Amino acid sequence: MAEEVIKNLVVRVVNSLVDLAMKEVNYIRKCPENVAKLKDELHNLKDMREKLQQQIEIAIGKGDNLIIGVEEWVKKADSEISKAEEFLIEEANAKKTCFKIGLCGNWGTLYHYGKKATKNVPPLLDHQVRGRDYVSRVSLDTPAPGPLQVYQNKNLDDIVTQNSALGDIITAIEDESKQIIGIYGIGGVGKTTLAMEVSARVKHLFAAVAFTTVSQTLSVEKIQKDIGDATKRIMKGEKILIILDDVWEMVDLEKLCIPCGINHLNCKILLTSRSEYVCEKMNAHKISVNALPKEEAWILFKRVVGVRVETDAKLKRVAMKVAEECGGLPLFLIAVGNVLKHKSIEDWEKALTRLQEHAPTRVDPEIGKAFTRLKLSYDFLDNEARLCFLLCSMFPEDEQILLEDLVLYAVGLAKFHGLKSMEDARQRVEDAVKILTSSGLLLDLDDKRYTKMHDVVRDVALLIASEGDDKNNILVEAGKGLTEWLPRKTELESYTGISLMKNKISKLPMYVLHLPHLDIFLIQQNDELPKFSDELIRGMKEVKVLDMACCGSPPLPPSLKLLTKLRVLNLKGNKSLHDISILVEMKDLEVLIINETGIEEIPQEIGQLVNLRRLEAIKCTKLYHVAPGVISNLWRLEELCIGFMYLRGGIHDCIVEVMSLSNLTFVALLVPDFRVIPEGFNFGKLGGFFIYIGTDYPLFSEANLFSERHLVINADHVEIPFLRWIKKVIKLSPRTCLKNIKNLNNILPQLYHEGLNDLENMTLSSCHNVSCLVDARDWDQLHTFHSSIHLGEEKIKENLFWKLKHLDLSCLFSLEVLWNCPDQYITLSNLVTLEIHWCDKLVKVFSVNVAQGLVNLQSLSIRSSDSLKEVIWDGDEETDKGETEYIVFRSLARIFFGYMDRLESFYSGYTTIKYPSLVDVVIEGCSGMKMWGPGIHETPKLKFVGNVPLDGPAVTINGPVAKLYQAERIRKVMKLHELSFELV
């Protein structure tokens, strides 16, 4: 037995010695090969370094911030390149002196350079691997700023009136005895601008500044949403400034849930109002803002117009009079100056004449002045911008206006000359809104799908509309809380437009109103309307746009068929609408919206509406039949949104008809099954599409939908072989959502062949059998799905999820891990947002190796995943936590963890994690979280950390730097004595 053991030991030793000897011999034998490989990897590293350097120079030229680490990578690359080049020069010189052609003259030299070449290759390869994260991106995206963040400080040094008021406001804010400060003055005098300027100059005195617009129609919900976080922080003892802009009447601060009074002196309130009386009623320290005197108005006007008014003597004389006519109101000085700054001297003289005309006598004198002055800006607009301006005035005050609504109304009014298409109308509306925004007549919002009108500008717009200029005489009673609307029979004869939207109207005229010139009638969102009278309809035979969306379900009167001039008709939400054959006489109809109605059939008669550009019939749960030939007859259709969920047959034939529409640019197609869609449907020719496959209706929004591409699969079972033919659709759609699929166990490799690895935006919801996204434990199986994947010594060309930017996982009750495969095959370097909600069995999210590659992750939200203990884990059990390299989340700005009792930490390893972009962390209902992590966590931009104590409400910790482990007072409040964030 002993002899056998000794024999085995000898064999092992001999084998080891042989292996070692062969390794040393190979240094000599493969010296040329090793040197050649070094040259190749040197070339690859130099190529990567050049590409990155070009991107860095472009980013610097744009003023972008470079991602942390990229400059260090370039420096290290230069060093590695230099070392390799020095070695190759040395090796080349040695070859000249020590080798003859075809013979080796010096075995020692071969051994030396063969071994050194071999050892110099790995650093080059390793540095290339480290550089891959930077190849796609070397700079950071700038987070979307808030209203106070985008405000640019104004130069008020020589505007004494406003500078003086500014000083008084700041002094009052700094005075601890004054809690509420009120700025009052007439509309357009610059109250809001001063409030924003104050916030910029005193923000260092407060933990946070919150801004909300109150407006004439008080919305408690909106205000609470705007300032909700600030009010919570007041309750925690932090010093907060709240700005209430445009207060029309006394508001109850308690009703708005604003902590105020002797017990909350850490709350300072700055309000703006047109009324001194309002400031008095709210016990505010009053500061008046007056119009600018002549000299200061001229200074501001010159800044807007430019040096031209100083160098042209004739223009200067006229311009000074124009500025004087603006009444010292900054809003109008800026608006008029922007309109005229590029105009001829003749236009200036005409403008001066108009400004010198008397204002309407039947309005408030101050509003009358505003009318005359701001109307000038309107007069210089082109017709399309004028139309959009007046349409915006028909919406309620302080309303965010969906541009798509303006598109529909503009198409219906037929005032866009030479309109080519719906997309043409959309572009013209966008252009008009840009003009109005640049002129100060509309407000610029972060969400470009919407616009908004300043309340002062809206007042003037309504005056313009009510004056009947250019045959535009509009009555606007929108958003006023009306319960009835009963005008006299003849008092509206001259009106071209009426807006009653967003009221609570339950009574309409049961008599005929004489409305011979009415073009547009907007009564949407009056959900208490029991009846739409026959008499009212009879009086508006010339109407072109009728919007009755979301008005409850009043029966449509028979007289509706008399509206033969209609171009846009919106009946959305009317469940009592069953038969639409009554619309057959509306031959001019271009837009018909019958979403969420009770229609049972799209009858043969609708095929006669050959001028239709857009048809919407979504969420019509009783729609069982579409007459053959109807869709194909509508040959002018450009945009079709239709649900075939409940058709009793003929879905395939209907879609074939859809395919025949040569002018179609967008389709929202809702079908119960894949098989009803013909394989020849070319979705690629469309500008946008929304394809929904399933039986339940999805959320469907028209906002900015027509240029996007979505695919939603909501089905119990997916037949994978059949799904392959829509691979092109998946590739065309960067947004794909999979819901309620029972026979789905994983995404990859199960659906790898279907193109899901190319997705940029993926939502996976309520697929209860999914245990992981990637189940690649059997790599041979994966090999059969994609020929580019090989194991062993070969490489994978495309790592999994390499294109993914947005990942949303919810209600996956069997999900245990995100992937079952080696980390090296997962690349999430392009991931921007990750949301994980209600994944009860998930125990871990990122391994350290994958976390190091999350260079673009900006937002991380994990909620109600009861089994999760830590977000980052060490990978396999053999990994030594102490040896983990530091991690940098370069772009991560927001973290939210909610309602996970078992969550113990973000990462339990002893390492350094850097968060250079992190702004806020919110932790709610995570009672088991005793520490963020034992290592060092660097957060130079952190503004607050929110947490819920074991037996209390949410707590927010403020400051540009939060060191919770030193904040004993905060610990006592939170009652989490062991919580250690160690954020520095």
Side-chain angles (χ1 to χ4, degrees):
M1 186 69 180
E3 293 178 357
E4 185 67 24
V5 170
I6 294 172
K7 180 180 180 182
N8 290 336
L9 180 61
V10 170
V11 170
R12 289 182 183 180
V13 170
V14 170
N15 288 340
S16 297
L17 292 173
V18 170
D19 289 343
L20 181 61
M22 287 302 299
K23 183 177 180 181
E24 298 295 316
V25 169
N26 279 338
Y27 287 142
I28 301 172
R29 185 169 58 88
K30 294 187 176 182
C31 178
E33 182 182 336
N34 294 341
V35 171
K37 188 172 183 180
L38 177 64
K39 290 179 179 179
D40 290 341
E41 296 306 331
L42 173 62
H43 173 77
N44 293 338
L45 181 59
K46 291 172 74 174
D47 185 57
M48 180 180 285
R49 191 255 183 224
E50 289 302 318
K51 290 178 180 177
L52 281 179
Q53 187 61 43
Q54 289 177 358
Q55 294 181 50
I56 289 171
E57 291 172 0
I58 293 172
I60 293 174
K62 291 180 178 179
D64 292 341
N65 292 324
L66 296 178
I67 288 175
I68 293 176
V70 67
E71 290 180 298
E72 288 79 5
W73 186 93
V74 172
K75 291 179 181 178
K76 183 70 182 298
D78 289 339
S79 174
E80 295 294 343
I81 290 170
S82 178
K83 290 178 184 177
E85 287 179 337
E86 287 178 4
F87 166 78
L88 290 174
I89 292 172
E90 180 185 336
E91 187 271 340
N93 291 334
K95 185 187 297 183
K96 291 178 182 178
T97 58
C98 297
F99 293 91
K100 298 179 180 180
I101 296 176
L103 296 173
C104 174
N106 190 325
W107 297 109
T109 301
L110 271 177
Y111 173 80
H112 171 74
Y113 288 105
K115 183 175 182 179
K116 196 169 183 180
T118 302
K119 291 184 179 287
N120 280 346
V121 168
L124 300 181
L125 286 170
D126 182 62
H127 206 58
Q128 290 177 59
V129 171
R130 293 176 181 272
R132 288 175 187 169
D133 290 339
Y134 302 111
V135 169
S136 61
R137 193 177 191 191
V138 298
S139 58
L140 288 174
D141 288 338
T142 303
L148 294 176
Q149 293 172 305
V150 300
Y151 176 78
Q152 296 182 0
N153 290 68
K154 302 296 186 291
N155 177 13
L156 302 178
D157 292 342
D158 46 6
I159 311 294
V160 178
T161 301
Q162 289 197 330
N163 201 28
S164 175
L166 179 67
D168 291 343
I169 299 166
I170 292 175
T171 300
I173 286 177
E174 292 174 339
D175 188 342
E176 296 295 333
S177 67
K178 296 179 176 65
Q179 187 170 30
I180 304 177
I181 299 96
I183 311 172
Y184 70 92
I186 64 172
V189 79
K191 302 182 295 296
T192 301
T193 300
L194 278 173
M196 300 283 277
E197 185 70 25
V198 166
S199 73
R201 300 197 185 196
V202 303
K203 61 184 179 182
H204 64 283
L205 301 176
F206 298 90
V209 180
F211 183 97
T212 186
T213 301
V214 178
S215 78
Q216 195 169 5
T217 305
L218 184 70
S219 172
V220 174
E221 290 182 0
K222 172 189 174 298
I223 294 171
Q224 289 178 344
K225 181 179 178 181
D226 290 344
I227 64 174
D229 289 337
T231 55
K232 291 177 184 177
R233 299 172 76 173
I234 292 169
M235 297 299 294
K236 298 162 194 169
E238 298 179 46
K239 192 174 181 181
I240 304 294
L241 173 63
I242 294 178
I243 300 176
L244 303 176
D245 188 43
D246 192 26
V247 181
W248 282 73
E249 57 187 15
M250 189 187 77
V251 294
D252 186 346
L253 296 179
E254 289 186 1
K255 185 177 179 181
L256 299 179
C257 299
I258 298 177
C260 194
I262 192 67
N263 294 326
H264 301 288
L265 294 177
N266 55 317
C267 173
K268 188 82 72 168
I269 296 172
L270 177 64
L271 64 88
T272 73
S273 177
R274 298 186 186 188
S275 170
E276 181 182 7
Y277 175 75
V278 169
C279 294
E280 289 176 351
K281 294 293 286 183
M282 295 193 67
N283 298 316
H285 173 75
K286 299 180 298 180
I287 298 174
S288 173
V289 181
N290 301 313
L292 304 181
K294 180 179 177 180
E295 297 77 15
E296 294 176 28
W298 175 240
I299 291 171
L300 179 58
F301 195 70
K302 284 193 299 182
R303 285 182 186 165
V304 176
V305 178
V307 297
R308 179 186 174 203
V309 293
E310 286 287 2
T311 57
D312 187 335
K314 184 178 179 181
L315 176 60
K316 183 176 180 179
R317 287 192 297 271
V318 179
M320 291 184 72
K321 293 179 181 179
V322 169
E324 187 176 352
E325 288 297 324
C326 287
L329 297 179
L331 177 68
F332 303 129
L333 286 162
I334 293 169
V336 172
N338 277 323
V339 167
L340 293 175
K341 62 183 177 182
H342 299 304
K343 300 293 183 181
S344 66
I345 185 65
E346 291 79 12
D347 287 330
W348 279 84
E349 290 171 342
K350 289 177 184 177
L352 177 59
T353 301
R354 290 175 182 171
L355 286 170
Q356 291 171 337
E357 293 174 355
H358 295 294
T361 57
R362 62 186 176 88
V363 294
D364 179 88
E366 295 300 337
I367 298 296
K369 293 176 185 178
F371 168 83
T372 304
R373 291 154 191 153
L374 199 56
K375 183 178 181 297
L376 176 63
S377 298
Y378 170 83
D379 289 340
F380 276 95
L381 296 172
D382 61 36
N383 290 334
E384 293 181 2
R386 285 189 188 189
L387 175 62
C388 290
F389 180 72
L390 294 178
L391 287 175
C392 287
S393 74
M394 300 182 76
F395 289 81
E397 181 184 345
D398 204 32
E399 179 87 351
Q400 286 198 345
I401 302 163
L402 183 63
L403 265 60
E404 194 60 33
D405 287 339
L406 301 181
V407 172
L408 296 184
Y409 301 158
V411 168
L413 293 172
K415 292 188 177 181
F416 281 0
H417 179 70
L419 185 66
K420 298 177 182 178
S421 64
M422 291 294 297
E423 191 55 41
D424 183 22
R426 202 166 282 120
Q427 187 60 56
R428 294 198 198 187
V429 166
E430 289 178 7
D431 292 343
V433 168
K434 287 178 183 177
I435 292 171
L436 293 167
T437 302
S438 65
S439 300
L441 297 176
L442 289 179
L443 301 177
D444 189 18
L445 303 182
D446 289 337
D447 190 341
K448 301 307 177 185
R449 300 173 300 175
Y450 295 86
T451 188
K452 190 175 181 180
M453 185 172 269
H454 190 287
D455 59 328
V456 175
V457 176
R458 182 174 180 270
D459 288 342
V460 177
L462 293 177
L463 285 166
I464 293 172
S466 66
E467 285 298 306
D469 181 70
D470 290 338
K471 299 180 180 180
N472 289 310
N473 196 359
I474 299 173
L475 173 67
V476 180
E477 300 284 355
K480 293 187 175 182
L482 300 181
T483 57
E484 60 180 36
W485 185 65
L486 302 169
R488 296 180 184 275
K489 291 184 178 181
T490 58
E491 69 176 273
L492 304 176
E493 286 184 347
S494 63
Y495 282 87
T496 58
I498 296 174
S499 175
L500 305 174
M501 71 170 77
K502 285 199 171 182
N503 280 301
K504 300 178 181 179
I505 296 173
S506 60
K507 289 184 180 180
L508 288 173
M510 302 298 290
Y511 46 85
V512 175
L513 291 177
H514 193 46
L515 302 168
H517 304 294
L518 191 66
D519 286 329
I520 179 170
F521 188 72
L522 307 178
I523 194 172
Q524 67 265 37
Q525 298 185 61
N526 280 276
D527 55 8
E528 298 180 19
L529 193 64
K531 186 176 181 181
F532 208 91
S533 72
D534 207 62
E535 291 81 2
L536 179 59
I537 293 292
R538 289 180 183 276
M540 55 174 76
K541 294 182 180 179
E542 298 298 314
V543 72
K544 297 182 179 67
V545 176
L546 177 58
D547 196 336
M548 300 169 59
C550 305
C551 282
S553 298
L556 294 185
S559 58
L560 192 69
K561 64 183 179 182
L562 300 177
L563 305 183
T564 58
K565 302 292 182 66
L566 267 179
R567 293 176 179 269
V568 171
L569 176 61
N570 191 348
L571 300 171
K572 177 183 177 181
N574 192 324
K575 298 296 184 182
S576 69
L577 177 63
H578 303 297
D579 183 6
I580 57 174
S581 59
I582 190 176
L583 310 180
V584 69
E585 300 299 328
M586 301 176 184
K587 298 296 194 296
D588 290 340
L589 206 59
E590 296 188 26
V591 175
L592 175 59
I593 300 174
I594 48 177
N595 296 337
E596 301 175 46
T597 60
I599 63 168
E600 299 174 354
E601 179 185 23
I602 297 181
Q604 201 73 48
E605 291 87 343
I606 296 301
Q608 298 180 40
L609 305 181
V610 294
N611 285 308
L612 275 179
R613 295 176 183 268
R614 178 162 157 191
L615 172 63
E616 292 187 26
I618 298 292
K619 295 188 180 179
C620 299
T621 56
K622 295 183 179 180
L623 180 61
Y624 70 90
H625 180 64
V626 177
V630 170
I631 295 176
S632 56
N633 280 349
L634 304 177
W635 60 275
R636 283 196 174 96
L637 269 184
E638 301 166 28
E639 298 169 352
L640 175 63
C641 307
I642 192 165
F644 294 129
M645 302 299 200
Y646 302 107
L647 263 60
R648 296 175 184 172
I651 300 178
H652 182 276
D653 294 337
C654 287
I655 299 177
V656 170
E657 291 189 37
V658 173
M659 293 168 60
S660 72
L661 299 174
S662 59
N663 293 312
L664 203 64
T665 59
F666 174 85
V667 63
L669 205 57
L670 286 70
V671 297
D673 191 272
F674 288 100
R675 288 165 290 193
V676 299
I677 304 178
E679 293 192 28
F681 203 140
N682 183 9
F683 292 100
K685 72 174 184 178
L686 301 174
F689 59 75
F690 181 91
I691 308 300
Y692 180 89
I693 299 169
T695 54
D696 294 327
Y697 272 106
L699 294 174
F700 180 79
S701 172
E702 295 84 358
N704 201 34
L705 181 65
F706 298 93
S707 60
E708 296 183 355
R709 294 178 169 190
H710 297 253
L711 173 64
V712 179
I713 302 174
N714 182 2
D716 287 347
H717 289 78
V718 173
E719 299 177 20
I720 295 175
F722 187 78
L723 193 136
R724 289 176 182 170
W725 71 261
I726 65 164
K727 181 176 180 180
K728 291 182 179 179
V729 180
I730 294 177
K731 287 202 170 186
L732 287 170
S733 171
R735 298 171 178 264
T736 293
C737 174
L738 305 179
K739 299 181 67 176
N740 297 311
I741 302 175
K742 294 180 180 178
N743 69 326
L744 190 64
N745 298 320
N746 59 70
I747 303 302
L748 305 174
Q750 195 169 356
L751 297 179
Y752 188 89
H753 190 72
E754 279 58 64
L756 289 180
N757 199 44
D758 294 326
L759 286 179
E760 295 179 6
N761 189 328
M762 182 167 68
T763 298
L764 195 65
S765 175
S766 301
C767 298
H768 301 324
N769 290 323
V770 170
S771 59
C772 61
L773 303 186
V774 180
D775 191 356
R777 287 168 289 187
D778 184 352
W779 286 97
D780 292 334
Q781 178 190 7
L782 182 60
H783 173 77
T784 65
F785 280 91
H786 197 277
S787 59
S788 69
I789 294 184
H790 304 279
L791 294 182
E793 297 181 357
E794 298 183 48
K795 296 180 181 179
I796 292 181
K797 289 184 179 180
E798 297 178 359
N799 279 9
L800 305 177
F801 301 124
W802 69 287
K803 286 186 178 180
L804 195 63
K805 293 181 179 179
H806 305 280
L807 178 60
D808 186 347
L809 307 174
S810 64
C811 300
L812 304 177
F813 301 129
S814 298
L815 186 70
E816 297 179 357
V817 292
L818 297 190
W819 56 85
N820 259 325
C821 69
D823 290 344
Q824 68 189 92
Y825 301 117
I826 302 294
T827 297
L828 295 175
S829 58
N830 286 311
L831 192 67
V832 176
T833 64
L834 174 62
E835 294 188 13
I836 302 175
H837 298 163
W838 296 286
C839 296
D840 293 344
K841 291 186 179 181
L842 186 67
V843 295
K844 50 193 177 182
V845 183
F846 302 118
S847 66
V848 169
N849 291 333
V850 173
Q852 288 172 329
L854 296 171
V855 293
N856 289 311
L857 185 66
Q858 296 179 13
S859 176
L860 174 63
S861 175
I862 308 177
R863 176 197 296 268
S864 302
S865 298
D866 294 339
S867 298
L868 191 67
K869 291 186 177 181
E870 62 179 338
V871 178
I872 299 177
W873 60 291
D874 283 305
D876 56 57
E877 297 180 357
E878 297 180 1
T879 302
D880 184 357
K881 293 183 180 181
E883 296 180 357
T884 302
E885 293 187 25
Y886 71 86
I887 302 172
V888 180
F889 292 108
R890 301 168 187 162
S891 308
L892 187 59
R894 297 172 187 84
I895 297 175
F896 174 83
F897 297 150
Y899 312 105
M900 297 180 289
D901 291 339
R902 296 187 183 180
L903 184 65
E904 297 176 356
S905 64
F906 182 70
Y907 176 47
S908 61
Y910 290 83
T911 189
T912 296
I913 302 182
K914 300 180 181 181
Y915 313 79
S917 303
L918 189 63
V919 175
D920 60 75
V921 178
V922 177
I923 307 169
E924 295 180 357
C926 299
S927 58
M929 192 169 188
K930 303 302 181 184
M931 65 166 56
W932 185 257
I936 301 299
H937 297 263
E938 298 181 0
T939 61
K941 293 184 179 180
L942 187 67
K943 292 183 178 179
F944 71 86
V945 176
N947 203 306
V948 176
L950 297 176
D951 57 354
V955 176
T956 304
I957 297 87
N958 300 286
V961 178
K963 297 187 177 182
L964 302 191
Y965 56 90
Q966 294 179 350
E968 285 297 326
R969 183 180 65 82
I970 292 173
R971 282 184 182 175
K972 290 177 182 178
V973 174
M974 297 176 66
K975 299 180 182 178
L976 290 179
H977 303 289
E978 300 303 320
L979 183 63
S980 173
F981 279 73
E982 199 161 336
L983 303 176
V984 298

